[in-house]
Amino acid sequence: MPEIKVTPLGAGQDVGRSCILVSIAGKNVMLDCGMHMGYNDDRRFPDFSYITQNGRLTDFLDCVIISHFHLDHCGALPYFSEMVGYDGPIYMTHPTKAICPILLEDYRKITVDKKGETNFFTSQMIKDCMKKVVAVHLHQTVQVDEELEIKAYYAGHVLGAAMFQIRVGCESVVYTGDYNMTPDRHLGAAWIDKCRPDLLITESTYATTIRDSKRCRERDFLKKVHETVERGGKVLIPVFALGRAQELCILLETFWERMNLKAPIYFSTGLTEKANHYYKLFITWTNQKIRKTFVQRNMFEFKHIKAFDRAFADNPGPMVVFATPGMLHAGQSLQIFRKWAGNEKNMVIMPGYCVQGTVGHKILSGQRKLEMEGRQILEVKMQVEYMSFSAHADAKGIMQLIRQAEPRNVLLVHGEAKKMEFLKQKIEQEFHVSCFMPANGETTTIVTNPCIPVDISLGLLKREAATGDTFLLFSFFL
Amino acid sequence: MAAHLKKRVYEEFTKVVQQQHEDLSTKKLRLTKPSKSAALHVDLCKATSPADALQYLLQFARKPVEVESVEGVVRILLEHYYKENDASVRLKIASLLGLLSKTAGFSPDCIVDDAINTLQNEKSHQVLAQLLDTLLVIGTKLPENPSVRMRLVEVACKHLTDSSHGVRNKCLQLIGCLGPVEKGVAKEAESQAAKDVQKIIGDHFNDQDPRVRTAAIKAMLQLHERGLKLQQAIYGQACKLLADDYEQVRSAAVQLIWVLSQLYPESIVPIPSSNEEIRLVDDAFGKICHMVSDGSWVVRVQAAKLLGSMQQVSSHFLEQTLDKKLMSDLRRKRTAHERAKELYSSGEFSSGRKWGDDAPKEEIDTGAVNLIESGACGAFVHGLEDEMYEVRIAAVEALCMLAQSSPSFAEKCLDFLVDMFNDEIEEVRLQSIHTMRKISHNITLREDQLDTVLAVLEDSSRDIREALHELLCCTNVSTKEGIHLALVELLKNLTKYPTDRESIWKCLKFLGSRHPTLVLPLVPELLSTHPFFDTPEPDMDDPAYIAVLVLIFNAAKSCPTMPALFSDHTFRHYAYLRDSLSHLVPPLRLPGRKLVSSTVSPSITSHEDPSQQFLHQSLERVYNFQHLDPQGIQELLEFTIRDLQRLGELQSELAGMADFSATYLQCQLLLIKALQEKLWNVAAPLYLKQNALASAAAKQILEETYKMEFMYSGVESRQVVIIHHMRLQAKALQLIVTARTTRGVEPLFGMCEKFLQEVDSFQRCFISELPHMQGSFVDKLLDLMPRLVTSKPSEVVKILQTTLRQSTFLHLPLPDQLHRATANIIEPTGESDNPLRFTSGLVVALDVDATLEHVQDPQGTVKVQVLYPDGQAQLIHPKPADFRNPGPGRHRLITQVYLSHTAWTEPCQIEVRLLLAYNSNRSKASTRIPKSTWSESLEALPPSENGIEGTIPFSKPVKVYIMPKPARR
């Protein structure tokens, strides 16, 4: 019997360094090639020796597919292609291809320049790697070779995120990457047709969560910002350069527009400016509202949001500042935080998760006195707010996608084992399909039952159909 | 004798018309009939290749074919059809056959057999489909011929087994449109095929082609629309179709399920995989709810829309639609809505500052969580969060309809509606505000909800703010803090957008009168009075202070203890506001205050009957005492007019009626005055004054009649006749006066002719009303018509003069509802002393904001006029989008008027006013013209949309101070 084999090299019962090997009808495809945020040693990249022990990567793999530009999905790409050595095609969508090298370069800078690591990939390697990339459009069927074809679907999550369908003959696999089933301020919802794949590989970050409506959260956020600005306070929003930052910008921008507010909004320069440029370009990848109104005005050409300058932090009066990085552990956001922390009129809003040990985590857990470098004690009088803006599908969303695609088997990756367990049980119960959740390095084999195409002359078929002997005809062929 | 004459008049008229008609048509026939079909025949025979033939057919299709020659053409086409080998030409012929059968007046039963025969030997699927389409056209043209329809249906059933989807599609469509609907017919039919159309169609629900499946469902819906009661048995089939791969199938299936749920709401269906049974409407509701999270947005919109009309659904199913159990890491979490509610009920003030107050609570039993519901769970939660705003709007609409019928659901959906106030698309926000207003009688807003609602007051869109004011007018607030909050936010709104003044005051008026007891404890604070100290008197012109007073005074109306809290200046301000803003400040009974006692006591307003009686009595009096001496009549008319006008001022409900009848009497009075002069008998040129008076009267009557016809809404045809009659009299008067003043006969000929034409058209338009007009001017005139037509102008004038004098005064019946169109310019206010300066030759935009009441079709009729000091007048047509419709009978015009002029030496005032444009072609009279005689000529004329015959000013002019400066060089 024909089989599909799936081996996660990363993201199997885990979040981070997504890398999944799929063997389908004799073709080998690698889905994503990410790094792990939690490790600084060899474990940060997937273990490619699993493949290389049998020979060269290029000989083994038919293609590599990158779902979106987050580093846990593309961070290991230059290492994989340039240092381990892979010369085959790498597929990604146009926005991903545009933004990916920016993030990789940033990642390289932090690791090499800041942490002083050696034996890491270089800028040149990133460039060489990007030369191997083939960009694809949404819903465009790309023939990798005569038999293998791939097709991208919209996935929400971040700009350019896509789900991929991999098809060889009658067998097919859908890999979702990260996706979001509820639309947000700048991106639409993931969508797939009823393609009935043999296997659906889906992320399961929020396998055990059902979220409240986005509107409540947005309203809370806007209300808090608005109140602070009205009192004459300053609002600091630490963000990462890409993704949520743009969503929050759009949110604030439209709110300012609607409410006719005058307080300035600033955005820290550098990486973000570059990224904003790409958001402006790839307008077709955004949501309905932005797509519809961009004829009058491109929503990413912000009217109220201006570039930030260091000197502005001391300006009197209310203002809102977006600053990087998102966890307040270094850089501009920390500098501004230190300046503003002493005033109870001010506010800091953390729009995402903070890793333990960072200033962000400390203030979120209620610490009001912080020890800074040089034995300084910083008293935090400003208000601290937490607001979760996360763009993964929740349990309901995952179920909805499975319902849309109607797969014959489901495989869970990119999530915690315990949570997967719950979802797996639910999927099996609701859809009566088998569900798998392999750990890293563990191979899952799925038996498929593909139909076999048969060539037949049209004349013969018509004649036989007319006499009603189709059954005889087919039994003859079999 | 008179009757005889009249008859002759009619005969003559009709004769003339008929003859012309005959002449024309016979000519046409003789010219075209043979040439048309013959030419086609010749062309088709000449055609050497299929392409040629196709070309000829295409050319032929462009020209219309007369009814008489259709059959001939069809025969020729059929002849060629059999000869033709090329499928494309046959296809074109088939489509032409359908086109020809559509010709108005042609009865296609003569070609049915031929058309059916063509089907027999046809091999091409496309041609077959086209032929079936033709049969469909033929069938729909013959609704009274069940046997033909039956045959057609049988033919269609035979072709249902065709291998092409197009043919099957058309067959199903044909069966849906022509299939027998009545039970009786179906039984009589011997043929097995035609017996059960439903079953035949139902069999194709499982067709392999999605297009055929869609066609089958559509055919079923078509049958339902034509009155056939669908069987409940197809419900199961329809449910299966909901899971179809193709969106058009699913979309049609949703419709079908909805239809069935309306047909059999109470029947019981089993739930698969369990022994339970539920009502069909509940089951269908659950299924349609499921489709709200479908993959295709078209289906989602459809499903969301249909949900709104399923009102028989039981309440616990309904409430499930808003249900969404949250969890985080398998632990139950409360929604933001629940948290807000709890906060409110625990009395705790908005904390919300805690990180993790949304922390998950109890553990959830993993088995009990249902991630994907087959039921109605969370349908609206999904719908309202949808990616496409079309779906969201549909969901809001559906919420509105369901909430209107179920108060408990209204209470529950409130949180969600409030959330929608923050949608990113303005239309959705507006829609949800309107929805909330519609259900406001069922709900009371909690403080935290009010907070969110009020936050929208800062929206920069005027529509949103005004919709919100409207909403606040009819909201119930639960606490005094709520009222305070609302007031504070409204005042904030007022300072930010001063143009919202009127709307905010109105809003506070209703807010005050709805919540007197909640306002009471706030009064000292609002008026900033102090138990011991006198506080400074606030500025009376401050809009914010006026707003506060409006709220308090309206609350005081039903709260007699409140005035005791007022300080002295408040009473003075009351008197002032009662006078200046009487529509906002109600009459109050203030203890020991003289200055308020003069206000109209409420006893008058509560009784309408006496005043209505008075109106009718005074009118009666006028109509009855017609045989009074001339002087007496004049006096009576004058008094009655005065009475009516006063009545109109006092009684706003009767204003329309009173004004209307007063205007009519005024016309009559003018007419009598103009005719009554003894001096008429004296030679004309000697009495210039008399002539001037009469022509002025004629002119005024004309103006007044236009006002009567076009300024009042609710005028019926009975009134229109009388108005037109009055106008005719005025025109007669005009003719007489002109005849007396002009020398020479030449110009008179034309005028007489024109007048007679008008009499003629009057007769044609109002022929049905003529019997009611015994003894009137036009009645007598029509008797004399034959004489008038032949006589000289001078004689005509003489006849007119005597008829005018002798004719009786027509009674003007009043309609039940009559309202005068009014306009009030809110902006510009005309108060500013600062001239609007601009460089001459350039353009300045002036914002105009006006409310219009009882104006029908304001987009077409309301114009803005600008009068410059040099007498130059400009007419400006506002864009249709500038008109908003806040309520029935009310309109709001918000537009910009562009001004420009050459330089002036000093600032000067221009006048801005609103005009009502009219066009008697578009008036009610024109619709009454009998179609048979006039339709041709009307169609020939291009409809003159912009044709404005005249204008009636209907608002007070507002003066604007402007100053065009000379351009600097």
Side-chain angles (χ1 to χ4, degrees):
Chain A
M1 280 303 245
E3 298 167 337
I4 298 176
K5 281 188 189 163
V6 182
T7 315
L9 297 184
Q13 303 183 2
D14 185 20
V15 179
R17 59 164 182 184
S18 288
C19 185
I20 298 141
L21 282 179
V22 174
S23 308
I24 170 171
K27 303 283 169 185
N28 296 315
V29 179
M30 187 155 98
L31 304 168
D32 278 341
C33 189
M35 50 77 90
H36 201 294
M37 297 271 187
Y39 302 116
N40 275 327
D41 48 15
D42 281 348
R43 286 177 296 171
R44 69 182 160 204
F45 292 143
D47 181 16
F48 296 116
S49 61
Y50 182 89
I51 311 169
T52 44
Q53 62 197 2
N54 300 326
R56 287 186 60 233
L57 278 175
T58 319
D59 299 336
F60 179 73
L61 289 173
D62 289 283
C63 74
V64 174
I65 295 169
I66 303 293
S67 67
H68 64 280
F69 60 65
H70 276 158
L71 286 177
D72 59 333
H73 291 260
C74 70
L77 202 55
Y79 168 78
F80 161 78
S81 72
E82 304 309 309
M83 296 171 80
V84 183
Y86 168 74
D87 299 321
I90 303 170
Y91 292 94
M92 51 176 85
T93 62
H94 284 275
T96 310
K97 188 186 174 187
I99 298 171
C100 190
I102 307 177
L103 286 178
L104 286 173
E105 180 60 33
D106 192 55
Y107 174 46
R108 188 199 64 81
K109 250 190 229 161
I110 288 173
T111 345
V112 176
D113 299 354
K114 291 247 167 82
K115 293 182 187 153
E117 271 188 56
T118 51
N119 194 21
F120 204 70
F121 56 79
T122 60
S123 296
Q124 190 53 45
M125 285 181 179
I126 298 175
K127 278 177 198 153
D128 291 340
C129 165
M130 290 324 281
K131 281 179 194 152
K132 297 173 184 167
V133 170
V134 182
V136 299
H137 292 283
L138 275 188
H139 301 178
Q140 172 198 9
T141 308
V142 180
Q143 252 2 104
V144 177
D145 53 33
E146 286 94 74
E147 287 158 343
L148 177 65
E149 59 185 43
I150 60 171
K151 182 177 174 186
Y153 291 97
Y154 193 75
H157 191 62
V158 288
L159 193 78
M163 308 192 274
F164 280 90
Q165 185 190 39
I166 302 117
R167 172 184 287 278
V168 182
C170 286
E171 292 169 280
S172 63
V173 172
V174 169
Y175 173 62
T176 64
D178 290 356
Y179 63 101
N180 189 6
M181 291 299 281
T182 44
D184 63 29
R185 287 281 165 162
H186 72 308
L187 296 172
W191 181 86
I192 195 163
D193 57 14
K194 232 175 239 194
C195 50
R196 298 203 177 86
D198 291 301
L199 176 66
L200 176 80
I201 305 174
T202 172
E203 66 135 329
S204 52
T205 323
Y206 283 143
T208 55
T209 303
I210 301 175
R211 278 180 303 167
D212 202 354
S213 91
K214 198 131 197 148
R215 271 200 194 81
C216 291
R217 252 174 299 151
E218 286 177 358
R219 201 184 57 213
D220 275 358
F221 172 77
L222 292 172
K223 208 169 136 193
K224 278 169 190 163
V225 173
H226 189 192
E227 273 169 7
T228 313
V229 168
E230 277 211 326
R231 296 198 281 274
K234 299 175 168 60
V235 182
L236 171 67
I237 307 173
V239 286
F240 290 103
L242 280 160
R244 287 323 93 199
Q246 274 72 21
E247 187 193 349
L248 293 177
C249 277
I250 291 267
L251 193 59
L252 277 189
E253 167 86 8
T254 43
F255 186 73
W256 250 238
E257 187 96 10
R258 253 182 75 193
M259 297 303 185
N260 233 336
L261 298 179
K262 296 282 177 280
I265 308 176
Y266 297 112
F267 208 137
S268 61
T269 44
L271 194 56
T272 335
E273 254 182 344
K274 246 190 217 165
N276 269 353
H277 175 67
Y278 288 113
Y279 274 83
K280 268 183 232 167
L281 279 179
F282 294 109
I283 213 82
T284 46
W285 287 79
T286 55
N287 74 3
Q288 188 193 21
K289 155 102 180 170
I290 299 177
R291 268 181 289 143
K292 286 226 158 133
T293 52
F294 101 99
V295 190
Q296 287 103 40
R297 186 164 84 89
N298 192 327
M299 290 275 275
F300 291 102
E301 262 160 40
F302 301 121
K303 235 191 230 169
H304 300 272
I305 303 178
K306 293 155 213 134
F308 184 72
D309 188 280
R310 240 164 249 278
F312 292 166
D314 295 322
N315 283 1
M319 65 172 87
V320 180
V321 174
F322 288 93
T324 48
M327 296 187 198
L328 278 182
H329 53 272
Q332 204 165 38
S333 61
L334 187 62
Q335 277 175 10
I336 300 171
F337 174 75
R338 287 166 74 168
K339 271 192 185 144
W340 292 358
N343 193 337
E344 63 268 19
K345 271 206 261 173
N346 297 343
M347 178 185 283
V348 57
I349 298 182
M350 311 294 299
Y353 179 72
C354 288
V355 169
Q356 207 159 14
T358 57
V359 176
H361 187 264
K362 280 180 199 156
I363 57 171
L364 274 184
S365 44
Q367 219 171 308
R368 300 310 269 181
K369 282 196 178 132
L370 299 173
E371 199 173 327
M372 310 305 280
E373 66 264 33
R375 300 276 164 111
Q376 259 180 299
I377 300 259
L378 182 68
E379 198 174 344
V380 182
K381 285 188 185 153
M382 76 197 297
Q383 296 169 46
V384 179
E385 299 286 351
Y386 171 76
M387 203 124 291
S388 155
F389 283 87
S390 176
H392 289 276
D394 63 358
K396 271 200 168 182
I398 297 171
M399 297 302 262
Q400 205 183 331
L401 187 90
I402 297 176
R403 185 158 78 95
Q404 269 185 23
E406 291 186 5
R408 294 191 191 90
N409 298 283
V410 178
L411 190 141
L412 303 178
V413 292
H414 202 279
E416 293 161 36
K418 211 177 74 195
K419 295 178 180 176
M420 281 181 177
E421 200 69 59
F422 164 78
L423 192 67
K424 174 177 180 233
Q425 173 206 337
K426 283 289 156 198
I427 291 171
E428 283 172 347
Q429 181 186 326
E430 306 266 2
F431 297 105
H432 310 291
V433 298
S434 38
C435 184
F436 308 90
M437 38 175 283
N440 284 340
E442 190 183 325
T443 304
T444 305
T445 310
I446 290 146
V447 179
T448 58
N449 194 6
C451 47
I452 298 158
V454 178
D455 285 332
I456 179 169
S457 99
L458 192 65
L460 176 60
L461 183 69
K462 274 189 176 169
R463 244 179 296 137
E464 292 297 317
T467 52
D469 279 346
T470 23
F471 176 72
L472 273 178
L473 179 80
F474 284 118
S475 53
F476 163 72
F477 269 98
L478 288 171
Chain B
M1 184 63 198
H4 179 67
L5 266 178
K6 211 191 269 177
K7 207 185 258 171
R8 276 197 52 201
V9 172
Y10 290 151
E11 275 173 7
E12 273 179 18
F13 270 101
T14 42
K15 226 179 212 167
V16 171
V17 172
Q18 270 180 354
Q19 268 177 350
Q20 276 177 344
H21 190 76
E22 264 173 18
D23 266 337
L24 274 175
S25 55
T26 44
K27 250 185 215 163
K28 260 189 210 161
L29 278 180
R30 211 174 299 137
L31 275 174
T32 50
K33 188 182 174 180
S35 67
K36 193 95 185 180
S37 43
L40 178 71
H41 183 73
V42 172
D43 278 346
L44 285 176
C45 290
K46 258 197 312 194
T48 45
S49 68
D52 270 357
L54 206 55
Q55 209 56 45
Y56 287 130
L57 286 171
L58 280 171
Q59 268 166 14
F60 178 74
R62 280 188 205 119
K63 288 174 233 143
V65 178
E66 290 76 30
V67 176
E68 293 79 3
S69 45
V70 167
E71 201 181 334
V73 175
V74 167
R75 299 266 167 246
I76 291 168
L77 283 175
L78 281 171
E79 202 178 300
H80 282 277
Y81 177 87
Y82 287 116
K83 276 191 255 165
E84 188 58 60
N85 293 323
D86 187 76
S88 59
V89 178
R90 288 208 304 278
L91 182 73
K92 185 67 203 167
I93 292 179
S95 88
L96 268 181
L97 287 178
L99 214 65
L100 287 169
S101 336
K102 271 188 201 154
T103 318
F106 172 70
S107 169
D109 39 3
C110 44
I111 58 164
V112 172
D113 289 317
D114 301 294
I116 293 178
N117 282 336
T118 49
L119 280 170
Q120 308 278 312
N121 302 317
E122 184 55 62
K123 285 284 181 298
S124 157
H125 296 302
Q126 277 167 315
V127 181
L128 259 181
Q130 190 60 52
L131 281 170
L132 283 164
D133 195 47
T134 306
L135 288 182
L136 177 59
V137 172
I138 294 174
T140 39
K141 284 277 284 185
L142 298 167
E144 272 87 46
N145 199 340
S147 64
V148 168
R149 286 178 154 225
M150 215 56 194
R151 275 186 61 199
L152 293 179
V153 170
E154 272 171 47
V155 169
C157 291
K158 239 181 266 164
H159 285 90
L160 270 177
T161 48
D162 196 282
S163 58
S164 156
H165 69 87
V167 178
R168 291 203 302 270
N169 236 345
K170 283 284 169 213
C171 287
L172 286 168
Q173 203 183 340
L174 194 144
I175 296 174
C177 291
L178 305 178
V181 174
E182 300 85 14
K183 278 258 162 69
V185 181
K187 267 175 200 156
E188 280 164 31
E190 304 107 57
S191 156
Q192 192 65 33
K195 217 169 199 173
D196 194 358
V197 223
Q198 283 198 51
K199 195 177 166 307
I200 297 164
I201 297 178
D203 288 344
H204 283 81
F205 280 1
N206 299 323
D207 196 281
Q208 57 166 340
D209 194 287
R211 286 162 289 199
V212 180
R213 291 199 291 272
T214 318
I217 302 174
K218 290 228 167 105
M220 201 62 112
L221 288 169
Q222 181 77 31
L223 280 178
H224 164 73
E225 245 163 61
R226 290 176 51 222
L228 181 74
K229 189 161 187 193
L230 303 183
Q231 292 150 5
Q232 201 197 324
I234 57 171
Y235 181 71
Q237 279 179 296
C239 289
K240 271 184 213 125
L241 286 172
L242 285 181
D244 201 276
D245 283 9
Y246 292 84
E247 64 175 28
Q248 67 268 46
V249 182
R250 293 199 300 270
S251 164
V254 168
Q255 259 174 315
L256 185 61
I257 288 205
W258 179 79
V259 164
L260 287 167
S261 79
Q262 301 298 307
L263 283 175
Y264 306 97
E266 297 303 328
S267 37
I268 301 294
V269 287
I271 303 176
S273 78
S274 81
N275 303 331
E276 284 172 67
E277 292 182 325
I278 50 169
R279 292 162 70 216
L280 190 141
V281 66
D282 290 341
D283 190 51
F285 187 76
K287 294 217 157 68
I288 297 181
C289 280
H290 203 50
M291 300 310 280
V292 173
S293 45
D294 191 83
S296 145
W297 70 272
V298 184
V299 180
R300 295 202 296 267
V301 172
Q302 176 110 47
K305 269 191 188 145
L306 291 175
L307 280 183
S309 48
M310 297 182 79
Q311 272 142 7
Q312 297 115 311
V313 75
S314 32
S315 60
H316 78 277
F317 268 94
L318 198 55
E319 277 153 27
Q320 269 185 15
T321 56
L322 297 176
D323 197 25
K324 190 180 181 186
K325 297 246 175 345
L326 301 191
M327 60 175 191
S328 170
D329 294 348
L330 280 180
R331 275 183 295 178
R332 170 103 173 81
K333 218 171 115 177
R334 289 165 311 151
T335 61
H337 293 153
E338 286 169 334
R339 268 181 281 139
K341 202 169 177 177
E342 229 164 81
L343 261 183
Y344 172 75
S345 52
S346 68
E348 206 177 322
F349 241 76
S350 92
S351 70
R353 303 265 172 269
K354 275 182 279 173
W355 182 35
D357 70 343
D358 60 344
K361 295 275 142 108
E362 71 266 41
E363 292 263 352
I364 291 182
D365 173 20
T366 50
V369 187
N370 199 4
L371 279 183
I372 201 148
E373 307 81 4
S374 52
C377 252
F380 278 119
V381 180
H382 281 292
L384 294 176
E385 272 184 41
D386 199 275
E387 180 184 4
M388 312 296 281
Y389 83 96
E390 291 91 342
V391 183
R392 297 200 297 268
I393 284 195
V396 169
E397 268 165 18
L399 262 188
C400 172
M401 282 157 83
L402 290 171
Q404 270 175 327
S405 58
S406 158
S408 66
F409 183 70
E411 198 69 45
K412 287 221 168 60
C413 74
L414 205 55
D415 275 322
F416 294 90
L417 271 184
V418 170
D419 275 353
M420 294 308 284
F421 282 21
N422 288 319
D423 196 272
E424 53 191 346
I425 304 242
E426 185 175 319
E427 278 164 281
V428 183
R429 294 202 294 267
L430 204 56
Q431 179 74 39
S432 44
I433 294 175
H434 284 315
T435 298
M436 188 108 138
R437 196 189 69 223
K438 284 182 199 146
I439 62 169
S440 57
H441 55 93
N442 279 339
I443 52 167
T444 305
L445 281 180
R446 280 199 324 264
E447 216 172 297
D448 58 302
Q449 290 166 336
L450 191 68
D451 204 30
T452 325
V453 172
L454 290 172
V456 186
L457 274 178
E458 289 190 49
D459 202 296
S460 59
S461 150
R462 184 175 197 143
D463 288 325
I464 296 265
R465 289 200 310 271
E466 271 172 13
L468 205 67
H469 295 155
E470 292 265 335
L471 165 66
L472 285 178
C473 281
C474 43
T475 337
N476 300 319
V477 181
S478 50
T479 59
K480 82 175 198 315
E481 282 79 17
I483 292 280
H484 195 226
L485 196 69
L487 181 67
V488 168
E489 290 292 331
L490 281 169
L491 293 181
K492 225 195 242 174
N493 173 197
L494 189 63
T495 43
K496 202 162 174 185
Y497 306 100
T499 48
D500 287 359
R501 203 168 62 171
E502 286 286 328
S503 171
I504 288 174
W505 286 345
K506 203 179 106 222
C507 170
L508 283 168
K509 173 190 166 185
F510 284 100
L511 213 57
S513 54
R514 287 180 84 93
H515 309 97
T517 47
L518 298 181
V519 176
L520 184 62
L522 290 171
V523 169
E525 189 188 343
L526 294 180
L527 292 176
S528 55
T529 48
H530 195 277
F532 310 125
F533 303 115
D534 270 349
T535 42
E537 184 175 333
D539 179 15
M540 199 50 246
D541 289 330
D542 180 12
Y545 179 60
I546 295 179
V548 174
L549 285 186
V550 167
L551 175 77
I552 292 175
F553 289 147
N554 279 289
K557 196 180 160 195
S558 46
C559 183
T561 52
M562 204 181 284
L565 298 167
F566 296 173
S567 54
D568 280 344
H569 56 78
T570 317
F571 288 109
R572 265 186 283 121
H573 293 167
Y574 168 74
Y576 170 68
L577 287 180
R578 173 76 195 122
D579 244 22
S580 58
L581 296 170
S582 51
H583 61 291
L584 293 172
V585 180
L588 289 183
R589 271 199 205 143
L590 300 181
R593 289 279 155 181
K594 280 179 209 141
L595 32 94
V596 282
S597 58
S598 64
T599 50
V600 188
S601 66
S603 59
I604 289 186
T605 46
S606 62
H607 296 290
E608 294 179 350
D609 290 334
S611 41
Q612 193 139 22
Q613 247 172 5
F614 173 75
L615 174 76
H616 287 294
Q617 270 169 5
S618 39
L619 286 177
E620 205 85 339
R621 212 164 44 222
V622 178
Y623 295 132
N624 286 338
F625 291 91
Q626 295 219 0
H627 31 267
L628 225 65
D629 66 297
Q631 195 61 37
I633 290 184
Q634 275 193 31
E635 271 171 28
L636 179 65
L637 280 174
E638 269 163 27
F639 285 130
T640 320
I641 290 167
R642 201 198 56 202
D643 285 352
L644 288 176
Q645 277 169 348
R646 182 75 188 131
L647 181 72
E649 282 164 27
L650 287 176
Q651 288 280 305
S652 53
E653 305 90 50
L654 290 175
M657 300 255 206
D659 283 346
F660 189 64
S661 16
T663 319
Y664 182 60
L665 296 182
Q666 180 74 36
C667 292
Q668 186 64 27
L669 181 65
L670 284 168
L671 193 65
I672 291 174
K673 270 191 184 163
L675 291 170
Q676 280 287 318
E677 296 301 325
K678 293 155 199 129
L679 304 168
W680 274 104
N681 305 330
V682 191
L686 298 176
Y687 296 93
L688 291 171
K689 191 183 149 214
Q690 164 62 25
N691 290 332
L693 188 103
S695 69
K699 219 177 191 175
Q700 200 184 341
I701 295 173
L702 280 180
E703 264 173 37
E704 299 286 343
T705 54
Y706 281 120
K707 271 192 201 167
M708 284 172 76
E709 190 177 348
F710 296 104
M711 260 180 76
Y712 292 87
S713 66
V715 178
E716 292 162 14
S717 56
R718 287 183 301 160
Q719 286 84 34
V720 175
V721 185
I722 302 205
I723 295 165
H724 274 251
H725 182 248
M726 181 53 85
R727 195 176 300 157
L728 203 63
Q729 280 175 305
K731 280 180 180 160
L733 185 64
Q734 238 174 0
L735 181 63
I736 296 168
V737 175
T738 345
R740 285 170 69 92
T741 47
T742 38
R743 287 164 196 283
V745 203
E746 291 305 314
L748 277 184
F749 268 117
M751 287 187 67
C752 274
E753 189 107 332
K754 217 174 141 201
F755 180 73
L756 288 178
Q757 269 173 15
E758 257 162 49
V759 176
D760 184 29
S761 68
F762 180 86
Q763 188 207 7
R764 252 181 302 163
C765 294
F766 303 107
I767 199 142
S768 58
E769 303 281 345
L770 282 178
H772 303 299
M773 305 177 78
Q774 290 296 335
S776 67
F777 172 66
V778 79
D779 189 46
K780 288 185 176 154
L781 210 59
L782 285 176
D783 287 349
L784 299 171
M785 203 61 184
R787 241 178 88 199
L788 285 173
V789 178
T790 51
S791 45
K792 283 180 192 158
S794 55
E795 275 174 62
V796 173
V797 169
K798 254 183 211 148
I799 298 169
L800 283 181
Q801 201 172 325
T802 43
T803 347
L804 258 186
R805 287 234 198 120
Q806 286 161 4
S807 57
T808 51
F809 176 32
L810 275 180
H811 187 291
L812 175 69
L814 285 177
D816 305 329
Q817 282 291 322
L818 199 58
H819 294 286
R820 189 191 158 110
T822 50
N824 186 18
I825 300 182
I826 302 169
E827 216 177 320
T829 49
E831 287 162 357
S832 171
D833 292 332
N834 293 330
L836 198 62
R837 290 176 192 279
F838 61 98
T839 308
S840 68
L842 296 184
V843 181
V844 69
L846 179 70
D847 286 307
V848 173
D849 180 356
T851 52
L852 316 170
E853 271 179 50
H854 306 298
V855 183
Q856 290 158 327
D857 178 33
Q859 285 87 343
T861 54
V862 176
K863 313 284 167 207
V864 184
Q865 190 189 36
V866 180
L867 262 176
Y868 291 96
D870 57 359
Q872 185 192 340
Q874 270 181 2
L875 199 63
I876 292 141
H877 310 265
K879 288 189 297 256
D882 291 338
F883 293 93
R884 284 121 211 249
N885 191 357
R890 283 187 299 148
H891 287 275
R892 179 97 185 254
L893 170 65
I894 298 172
T895 186
Q896 279 195 326
V897 168
Y898 299 114
L899 308 172
S900 184
H901 212 277
T902 48
W904 296 348
T905 49
E906 59 191 58
C908 229
Q909 277 170 331
I910 57 161
E911 278 186 11
V912 178
R913 71 168 102 195
L914 296 184
L915 300 181
L916 205 58
Y918 61 83
N919 181 0
S920 35
N921 289 336
R922 263 187 297 167
S923 76
K924 287 146 196 151
S926 68
T927 55
R928 298 179 44 81
I929 296 169
K931 273 270 148 93
S932 53
T933 52
W934 273 67
S935 55
E936 285 174 1
S937 61
L938 273 183
E939 275 159 20
L941 283 172
S944 54
E945 271 302 312
N946 295 324
I948 296 172
E949 217 175 76
T951 50
I952 312 165
F954 77 127
S955 79
K956 281 186 197 141
V958 174
K959 290 190 169 146
V960 182
Y961 215 32
I962 63 163
M963 171 65 197
K965 313 174 283 197
R968 273 195 211 124
R969 304 200 181 259

